[in-house]
mmCIF file of all heavy atoms in Angstrom:
data_model
loop_
_atom_site.group_PDB
_atom_site.id
_atom_site.type_symbol
_atom_site.label_atom_id
_atom_site.label_comp_id
_atom_site.label_asym_id
_atom_site.label_seq_id
_atom_site.Cartn_x
_atom_site.Cartn_y
_atom_site.Cartn_z
ATOM 1 N N LEU B 611 114.296 118.319 147.388
ATOM 2 C CA LEU B 611 113.645 119.299 148.288
ATOM 3 C C LEU B 611 112.568 118.662 149.101
ATOM 4 O O LEU B 611 112.214 119.004 150.346
ATOM 5 C CB LEU B 611 113.165 120.529 147.575
ATOM 6 C CG LEU B 611 114.071 121.523 147.351
ATOM 7 C CD1 LEU B 611 113.581 122.455 146.227
ATOM 8 C CD2 LEU B 611 114.368 122.359 148.567
ATOM 9 N N VAL B 612 111.872 117.644 148.625
ATOM 10 C CA VAL B 612 110.679 117.126 149.484
ATOM 11 C C VAL B 612 110.938 116.618 150.791
ATOM 12 O O VAL B 612 110.031 116.601 151.599
ATOM 13 C CB VAL B 612 109.980 115.961 148.362
ATOM 14 C CG1 VAL B 612 110.808 114.715 148.426
ATOM 15 C CG2 VAL B 612 108.636 115.704 149.052
ATOM 16 N N SER B 613 112.176 116.362 151.021
ATOM 17 C CA SER B 613 112.522 115.876 152.446
ATOM 18 C C SER B 613 113.246 116.853 153.179
ATOM 19 O O SER B 613 113.804 116.619 154.221
ATOM 20 C CB SER B 613 113.303 114.560 152.250
ATOM 21 O OG SER B 613 114.486 114.797 151.550
ATOM 22 N N LEU B 614 113.397 118.144 152.648
ATOM 23 C CA LEU B 614 114.025 119.158 153.369
ATOM 24 C C LEU B 614 113.188 120.145 153.982
ATOM 25 O O LEU B 614 111.946 120.192 153.809
ATOM 26 C CB LEU B 614 115.025 119.905 152.355
ATOM 27 C CG LEU B 614 116.060 119.055 151.738
ATOM 28 C CD1 LEU B 614 116.973 119.903 150.821
ATOM 29 C CD2 LEU B 614 117.014 118.421 152.786
ATOM 30 N N GLU B 615 113.730 121.030 154.780
ATOM 31 C CA GLU B 615 112.935 121.961 155.696
ATOM 32 C C GLU B 615 111.928 122.889 154.927
ATOM 33 O O GLU B 615 110.864 122.988 155.466
ATOM 34 C CB GLU B 615 113.999 122.788 156.482
ATOM 35 C CG GLU B 615 113.516 123.699 157.472
ATOM 36 C CD GLU B 615 112.448 123.062 158.495
ATOM 37 O OE1 GLU B 615 112.645 121.834 158.738
ATOM 38 O OE2 GLU B 615 111.488 123.740 158.823
ATOM 39 N N PRO B 616 112.484 123.464 153.805
ATOM 40 C CA PRO B 616 111.406 124.420 153.185
ATOM 41 C C PRO B 616 110.042 123.662 152.847
ATOM 42 O O PRO B 616 108.925 124.185 153.094
ATOM 43 C CB PRO B 616 112.116 124.823 151.926
ATOM 44 C CG PRO B 616 113.514 124.673 152.153
ATOM 45 C CD PRO B 616 113.730 123.467 153.059
ATOM 46 N N VAL B 617 110.155 122.477 152.473
ATOM 47 C CA VAL B 617 108.846 121.777 152.045
ATOM 48 C C VAL B 617 108.212 121.323 153.314
ATOM 49 O O VAL B 617 106.953 121.432 153.481
ATOM 50 C CB VAL B 617 109.142 120.540 151.171
ATOM 51 C CG1 VAL B 617 107.853 119.618 151.010
ATOM 52 C CG2 VAL B 617 109.611 120.986 149.735
ATOM 53 N N ARG B 618 108.982 120.865 154.211
ATOM 54 C CA ARG B 618 108.431 120.391 155.490
ATOM 55 C C ARG B 618 107.564 121.580 156.264
ATOM 56 O O ARG B 618 106.523 121.281 156.554
ATOM 57 C CB ARG B 618 109.546 119.905 156.496
ATOM 58 C CG ARG B 618 109.061 118.972 157.475
ATOM 59 C CD ARG B 618 110.179 118.043 157.934
ATOM 60 N NE ARG B 618 111.493 118.756 158.147
ATOM 61 C CZ ARG B 618 112.732 118.115 157.772
ATOM 62 N NH1 ARG B 618 112.760 116.864 157.359
ATOM 63 N NH2 ARG B 618 113.739 118.720 157.992
ATOM 64 N N SER B 619 108.200 122.781 156.192
ATOM 65 C CA SER B 619 107.536 123.773 156.921
ATOM 66 C C SER B 619 106.202 124.368 156.162
ATOM 67 O O SER B 619 105.240 124.577 156.768
ATOM 68 C CB SER B 619 108.407 125.015 157.114
ATOM 69 O OG SER B 619 108.845 125.520 155.821
ATOM 70 N N VAL B 620 106.242 124.017 154.774
ATOM 71 C CA VAL B 620 105.010 124.449 154.069
ATOM 72 C C VAL B 620 103.857 123.395 154.440
ATOM 73 O O VAL B 620 102.684 123.703 154.618
ATOM 74 C CB VAL B 620 105.181 124.417 152.542
ATOM 75 C CG1 VAL B 620 103.864 124.511 151.858
ATOM 76 C CG2 VAL B 620 106.039 125.847 152.166
ATOM 77 N N LEU B 621 104.264 122.101 154.496
ATOM 78 C CA LEU B 621 103.324 121.055 154.712
ATOM 79 C C LEU B 621 102.663 121.272 156.055
ATOM 80 O O LEU B 621 101.528 121.035 156.276
ATOM 81 C CB LEU B 621 103.892 119.733 154.465
ATOM 82 C CG LEU B 621 104.493 119.418 153.132
ATOM 83 C CD1 LEU B 621 104.903 117.986 152.968
ATOM 84 C CD2 LEU B 621 103.520 119.841 151.984
ATOM 85 N N GLU B 622 103.579 121.547 157.042
ATOM 86 C CA GLU B 622 103.150 121.669 158.425
ATOM 87 C C GLU B 622 102.155 122.938 158.379
ATOM 88 O O GLU B 622 101.066 122.809 159.154
ATOM 89 C CB GLU B 622 104.365 122.119 159.299
ATOM 90 C CG GLU B 622 104.967 121.027 159.962
ATOM 91 C CD GLU B 622 106.154 121.489 160.789
ATOM 92 O OE1 GLU B 622 106.173 122.651 161.349
ATOM 93 O OE2 GLU B 622 107.002 120.595 160.757
ATOM 94 N N SER B 623 102.415 123.941 157.746
ATOM 95 C CA SER B 623 101.536 125.153 157.702
ATOM 96 C C SER B 623 100.136 124.757 157.221
ATOM 97 O O SER B 623 99.113 125.097 157.589
ATOM 98 C CB SER B 623 102.141 126.237 157.048
ATOM 99 O OG SER B 623 101.251 127.288 156.887
ATOM 100 N N LEU B 624 100.236 124.142 155.986
ATOM 101 C CA LEU B 624 98.967 123.615 155.394
ATOM 102 C C LEU B 624 98.181 122.747 156.302
ATOM 103 O O LEU B 624 96.870 123.012 156.461
ATOM 104 C CB LEU B 624 99.301 122.877 154.133
ATOM 105 C CG LEU B 624 99.931 123.698 152.908
ATOM 106 C CD1 LEU B 624 100.239 122.843 151.687
ATOM 107 C CD2 LEU B 624 98.961 124.727 152.327
ATOM 108 N N THR B 625 98.799 121.757 156.983
ATOM 109 C CA THR B 625 98.018 121.004 157.843
ATOM 110 C C THR B 625 97.461 121.708 159.006
ATOM 111 O O THR B 625 96.355 121.449 159.374
ATOM 112 C CB THR B 625 99.123 119.864 158.352
ATOM 113 O OG1 THR B 625 99.757 119.221 157.274
ATOM 114 C CG2 THR B 625 98.357 118.699 159.186
ATOM 115 N N GLN B 626 98.343 122.503 159.560
ATOM 116 C CA GLN B 626 97.899 123.343 160.828
ATOM 117 C C GLN B 626 96.632 124.111 160.428
ATOM 118 O O GLN B 626 95.736 124.403 161.243
ATOM 119 C CB GLN B 626 98.919 124.275 161.271
ATOM 120 C CG GLN B 626 99.773 123.585 162.393
ATOM 121 C CD GLN B 626 101.056 124.470 162.562
ATOM 122 O OE1 GLN B 626 101.079 125.655 162.369
ATOM 123 N NE2 GLN B 626 102.146 123.902 163.112
ATOM 124 N N ASN B 627 96.591 124.632 159.106
ATOM 125 C CA ASN B 627 95.470 125.439 158.666
ATOM 126 C C ASN B 627 94.374 124.773 158.047
ATOM 127 O O ASN B 627 93.481 125.259 157.392
ATOM 128 C CB ASN B 627 96.069 126.677 157.867
ATOM 129 C CG ASN B 627 96.864 127.599 158.600
ATOM 130 O OD1 ASN B 627 96.280 128.345 159.326
ATOM 131 N ND2 ASN B 627 98.121 127.370 158.620
ATOM 132 N N PHE B 631 95.844 118.982 150.824
ATOM 133 C CA PHE B 631 96.629 119.140 149.729
ATOM 134 C C PHE B 631 97.223 117.675 149.266
ATOM 135 O O PHE B 631 97.144 116.726 149.937
ATOM 136 C CB PHE B 631 97.813 119.968 150.249
ATOM 137 C CG PHE B 631 98.638 119.322 151.330
ATOM 138 C CD1 PHE B 631 99.654 118.483 151.180
ATOM 139 C CD2 PHE B 631 98.220 119.742 152.624
ATOM 140 C CE1 PHE B 631 100.380 117.838 152.173
ATOM 141 C CE2 PHE B 631 99.064 118.996 153.653
ATOM 142 C CZ PHE B 631 100.081 118.199 153.312
ATOM 143 N N VAL B 662 101.018 125.756 145.508
ATOM 144 C CA VAL B 662 102.247 126.225 146.129
ATOM 145 C C VAL B 662 103.318 125.676 145.487
ATOM 146 O O VAL B 662 103.425 124.296 145.383
ATOM 147 C CB VAL B 662 102.130 125.916 147.564
ATOM 148 C CG1 VAL B 662 103.326 126.492 148.397
ATOM 149 C CG2 VAL B 662 100.826 126.343 148.340
ATOM 150 N N VAL B 664 107.454 125.059 145.874
ATOM 151 C CA VAL B 664 108.478 125.135 146.725
ATOM 152 C C VAL B 664 109.824 124.628 146.057
ATOM 153 O O VAL B 664 109.880 123.448 145.798
ATOM 154 C CB VAL B 664 108.293 124.421 148.025
ATOM 155 C CG1 VAL B 664 109.420 124.835 148.992
ATOM 156 C CG2 VAL B 664 106.930 124.819 148.708
ATOM 157 N N VAL B 711 107.562 129.707 146.717
ATOM 158 C CA VAL B 711 108.456 129.824 147.725
ATOM 159 C C VAL B 711 109.799 129.457 147.123
ATOM 160 O O VAL B 711 110.195 128.309 147.075
ATOM 161 C CB VAL B 711 108.035 128.846 148.907
ATOM 162 C CG1 VAL B 711 108.925 129.139 150.138
ATOM 163 C CG2 VAL B 711 106.611 128.991 149.232
ATOM 164 N N THR B 713 113.632 128.545 146.766
ATOM 165 C CA THR B 713 114.713 128.044 147.702
ATOM 166 C C THR B 713 116.135 128.204 147.104
ATOM 167 O O THR B 713 117.013 127.807 147.644
ATOM 168 C CB THR B 713 114.449 126.500 147.867
ATOM 169 O OG1 THR B 713 114.493 126.010 146.469
ATOM 170 C CG2 THR B 713 113.168 126.200 148.624
ATOM 171 N N ILE B 749 107.015 134.024 148.715
ATOM 172 C CA ILE B 749 107.510 134.084 150.027
ATOM 173 C C ILE B 749 108.900 133.832 150.019
ATOM 174 O O ILE B 749 109.366 132.818 149.762
ATOM 175 C CB ILE B 749 106.781 133.010 150.945
ATOM 176 C CG1 ILE B 749 105.180 133.235 150.824
ATOM 177 C CG2 ILE B 749 107.254 132.923 152.299
ATOM 178 C CD1 ILE B 749 104.365 132.297 151.801
ATOM 179 N N ASP B 751 112.062 133.632 152.015
ATOM 180 C CA ASP B 751 112.595 133.472 153.237
ATOM 181 C C ASP B 751 114.111 132.913 153.105
ATOM 182 O O ASP B 751 114.338 131.963 152.568
ATOM 183 C CB ASP B 751 111.784 132.243 153.892
ATOM 184 C CG ASP B 751 112.295 131.989 155.363
ATOM 185 O OD1 ASP B 751 113.454 132.459 155.655
ATOM 186 O OD2 ASP B 751 111.605 131.471 156.082
ATOM 187 N N LEU B 753 116.124 131.907 155.031
ATOM 188 C CA LEU B 753 116.699 130.713 155.663
ATOM 189 C C LEU B 753 116.535 129.513 154.700
ATOM 190 O O LEU B 753 117.304 128.532 154.860
ATOM 191 C CB LEU B 753 115.590 130.331 156.825
ATOM 192 C CG LEU B 753 115.763 131.436 158.042
ATOM 193 C CD1 LEU B 753 114.834 131.038 159.201
ATOM 194 C CD2 LEU B 753 117.219 131.483 158.640
ATOM 195 N N HIS B 754 115.647 129.626 153.758
ATOM 196 C CA HIS B 754 115.489 128.392 152.743
ATOM 197 C C HIS B 754 116.787 128.390 151.979
ATOM 198 O O HIS B 754 117.004 127.303 151.428
ATOM 199 C CB HIS B 754 114.320 128.714 151.868
ATOM 200 C CG HIS B 754 112.948 128.460 152.575
ATOM 201 N ND1 HIS B 754 111.808 129.012 152.113
ATOM 202 C CD2 HIS B 754 112.723 127.889 153.724
ATOM 203 C CE1 HIS B 754 110.940 128.652 152.932
ATOM 204 N NE2 HIS B 754 111.315 127.971 153.990
#
Side-chain angles (χ1 to χ4, degrees):
Chain B
L611 277 159
V612 72
S613 54
L614 297 181
E615 185 53 31
V617 170
R618 208 156 33 220
S619 61
V620 167
L621 301 188
E622 266 174 36
S623 169
L624 292 172
T625 306
Q626 274 170 19
N627 290 283
F631 62 87
V662 184
V664 185
V711 187
T713 59
I749 299 182
D751 183 342
L753 294 177
H754 288 161

